[in-house]
Amino acid sequence: MEYTGKKVLVVGMARSGIAAAQLLCKHGAVVTVNDSKTEEQLEGQLQALEGVPVTHAFGRGAAELLEGKDCLVISPGIPDTAPFVVKAKEMGLYVIGELELAFQLSKGTMVAVSGTNGKTTTVSLLGEIFTNAGKATHVVGNIGYPYSLAAMTAKAQDVVVCEVSSFQMETADTFHPHVAVLTNITEDHLNRHGTMEVYTEMKMRMFRRQTAEDFAIFNADDPALKGLHRKTRAKVMFFSRQKEVPCGAFVRNGQIIIRTEEQERAVCGVEEVFIPGPHNLENALAAVCAAAAMNVPAPVIRHTLKTFRGVEHRIETVRELDGVTYINDSKGTNTDSTIKAVQTMTKPTVIILGGYDKHCSFTPLAEEMKKTPEIRHAVLIGETADQIESALKEAGFTSAERAGTLQEAVEKCRRKAENGWNVLLSPACASFDMFSDYEARGRIFKEIVNALQ
């Protein structure tokens, strides 16, 4: 779409909405920015719009602002079933999200990563790989840096590595990555999508516009992905830590191997991958596939796997105090992610669980905790505490207690943990009942832990 002179309403003044407004103004659109919060409630969020020629409409519903507009841009947090979005479509407005807008107005080769878990680590690792390969690289999307900001500066020869959420795919129309990676699919966001079928369909929209010149990469070890590769026209690659694959990355005799149509190469030893745990081996294998698809030399991939130290809020060691290691895994926002954190623990561990209800089952996590001797005790917080406690009792895990706040939870963990133990924050839930996002939850956890005497 050509945006010059078009009247565009941008709804939602979080990072992506503000960036979308900036990008639209750069391309000559007439922009109105809206949020249900007042300007006072938005506090310092609007600083980036100072001097940008936009019309403010805060503290109001979006529905009353649709008249006379050509286009509506919504934030990922707004479902496409919201009444004002439905009304906009009925009025004939072009409705998209920030990701789609940025893709339309950006240059560069798109490498996209989606999946329930592993996205942020894989995207961050790929950003390091491409940077180490000498490519100007923009790491954007659901990771927290808006694609629209990168779109204002990206050049044709650049690489854009994008973390893609199912929410963003609801409003993606022309989005077309050259390389697309699907890490896994497990139960998540059912409060938004309703069923696993719809959730999977949203993930698969990432591949919809790919052609035979593109690459589609799938986790061969995830049964939920079985057969999905048949739905793409792109060249298919797989990654697996359990078996050899016809084309892609796998493990043989402790070595990571990349196999393409042209050749087979050893990348590095599994033990040389710096980030720990079987889930991170999967992330590394996914990144190896994507890097190979982009013709990155094996020595560059090897060097990055050996030096990449992971991402903030994902099994991140905060400090050791009185022989106890405190670990921040605030990015554990669903049960499968927390299961992977549980499987990574090698010492006796007290775990903090609970948060915002996404209507997912905690039974698989409870069963994993019961059969994992390292998990000795759980402290439960947030609105899902009742559900988690019930699932734990049903699985036979009875060493659990409640805390009213994260501060209280940390204090209870400290009293329980002994010399040589871990205290792990991995909530298995979103954060919105108590915090603005998982990053805020992780930062506050680190502040609490670092303040312990």
Side-chain angles (χ1 to χ4, degrees):
M1 182 176 178
E2 172 59 55
Y3 291 94
T4 304
K6 292 291 192 295
K7 295 177 181 178
V8 183
L9 174 63
V10 179
V11 180
M13 287 295 100
R15 284 173 287 198
S16 65
I18 289 170
Q22 292 173 286
L23 180 61
L24 283 162
C25 287
K26 182 182 178 182
H27 285 267
V30 180
V31 180
T32 300
V33 291
N34 164 256
D35 197 288
S36 58
K37 293 179 180 177
T38 64
E39 194 156 350
E40 291 72 28
Q41 289 172 321
L42 291 167
E43 296 177 349
Q45 289 176 235
L46 303 175
Q47 289 178 353
L49 290 179
E50 289 179 8
V52 180
V54 297
T55 300
H56 292 190
F58 300 130
R60 306 165 59 181
E64 62 187 88
L65 302 168
L66 296 173
E67 196 65 46
K69 300 296 187 295
D70 301 301
C71 176
L72 170 66
V73 180
I74 57 176
S75 77
I78 299 169
D80 61 355
T81 54
F84 79 89
V85 179
V86 174
K87 180 180 177 182
K89 291 177 180 178
E90 290 172 348
M91 292 171 64
L93 274 69
Y94 181 46
V95 178
I96 56 173
E98 181 266 342
L99 178 88
E100 171 67 19
L101 172 74
F103 179 78
Q104 292 177 12
L105 299 177
S106 180
K107 297 176 181 176
T109 301
M110 167 58 65
V111 177
V113 180
S114 195
T116 306
N117 297 305
K119 298 187 295 295
T120 302
T121 299
T122 304
V123 161
S124 301
L125 176 54
L126 280 169
E128 289 275 317
I129 290 172
F130 294 131
T131 298
N132 290 340
K135 300 175 185 290
T137 306
H138 309 266
V139 180
V140 304
N142 198 53
I143 194 169
Y145 186 79
Y147 187 5
S148 290
L149 286 182
M152 288 191 275
T153 59
K155 298 177 174 61
Q157 65 270 27
D158 295 358
V159 177
V160 179
V161 185
C162 185
E163 180 179 333
V164 178
S165 74
S166 57
F167 293 0
Q168 291 167 318
M169 282 292 97
E170 288 179 346
T171 49
D173 181 24
T174 66
F175 186 69
H176 176 181
H178 174 54
V179 179
V181 181
L182 188 55
T183 59
N184 48 60
I185 296 179
T186 59
E187 192 177 83
D188 200 13
H189 299 304
L190 298 190
N191 58 326
R192 169 87 165 237
H193 298 303
T195 66
M196 282 297 291
E197 288 74 20
V198 173
Y199 179 48
T200 301
E201 181 187 337
M202 289 301 108
K203 293 293 187 188
M204 287 301 295
R205 289 187 72 169
M206 180 174 64
F207 303 97
R208 186 172 54 177
R209 287 189 172 268
Q210 286 193 300
T211 71
E213 302 302 311
D214 302 313
F215 294 87
I217 299 168
F218 297 89
N219 184 347
D221 298 339
D222 187 347
L225 272 55
K226 187 175 182 180
L228 293 181
H229 66 280
R230 300 190 185 97
K231 297 184 179 183
T232 177
R233 296 185 294 274
K235 298 169 190 170
V236 173
M237 299 177 74
F238 296 100
F239 62 94
S240 171
R241 61 184 175 87
Q242 298 175 1
K243 59 190 177 228
E244 294 195 13
V245 296
C247 182
F250 58 91
V251 176
R252 180 201 290 149
N253 298 327
Q255 292 286 312
I256 293 176
I257 307 294
I258 180 66
R259 177 185 286 165
T260 63
E261 293 176 355
E262 295 80 28
Q263 60 181 324
E264 182 177 299
R265 293 167 288 166
V267 178
C268 70
V270 168
E271 295 301 319
E272 294 180 275
V273 178
F274 187 87
I275 46 178
H279 64 292
N280 276 325
L281 176 56
E282 289 185 3
N283 297 333
L285 291 166
V288 168
C289 281
M294 291 285 287
N295 298 312
V296 176
V300 175
I301 303 173
R302 179 184 308 118
H303 168 75
T304 312
L305 292 180
K306 291 168 71 173
T307 57
F308 177 71
R309 295 184 174 272
V311 298
E312 188 180 16
H313 309 301
R314 188 67 177 122
I315 315 185
E316 173 195 13
T317 298
V318 179
R319 73 181 291 199
E320 184 179 311
L321 177 65
D322 298 332
V324 176
T325 302
Y326 291 81
I327 301 169
N328 169 29
D329 190 48
S330 184
K331 206 171 189 317
T333 58
N334 57 63
T335 54
D336 190 63
S337 183
T338 296
I339 285 171
K340 287 176 167 59
V342 164
Q343 292 169 341
T344 303
M345 295 299 104
T346 58
K347 299 190 293 187
T349 300
V350 184
I351 187 171
I352 300 173
L353 297 168
Y356 176 74
D357 187 6
K358 293 197 283 186
H359 299 173
C360 298
S361 171
F362 295 104
T363 299
L365 171 60
E367 291 173 347
E368 187 68 29
M369 287 171 58
K370 173 62 178 175
K371 71 181 185 184
T372 304
E374 287 77 13
I375 306 301
R376 302 294 178 85
H377 187 70
V379 178
L380 312 179
I381 61 173
E383 68 180 36
T384 56
D386 285 344
Q387 296 174 49
I388 295 173
E389 184 175 43
S390 177
L392 290 175
K393 284 181 178 177
E394 201 165 307
F397 187 99
T398 55
S399 183
E401 61 182 310
R402 301 290 191 93
T405 65
L406 185 55
Q407 175 84 45
E408 184 187 350
V410 171
E411 290 167 356
K412 289 191 172 187
C413 288
R414 186 182 188 186
R415 288 195 291 270
K416 196 75 178 179
E418 300 174 14
N419 184 28
W421 285 34
N422 295 325
V423 169
L424 169 67
L425 169 71
S426 188
C429 300
S431 57
F432 307 125
D433 58 334
M434 299 169 75
F435 307 94
S436 58
D437 52 32
Y438 77 83
E439 292 169 314
R441 178 171 62 191
R443 282 195 301 270
I444 292 168
F445 174 74
K446 291 196 286 186
E447 288 169 5
I448 293 168
V449 168
N450 283 322
L452 294 176
Q453 300 298 315

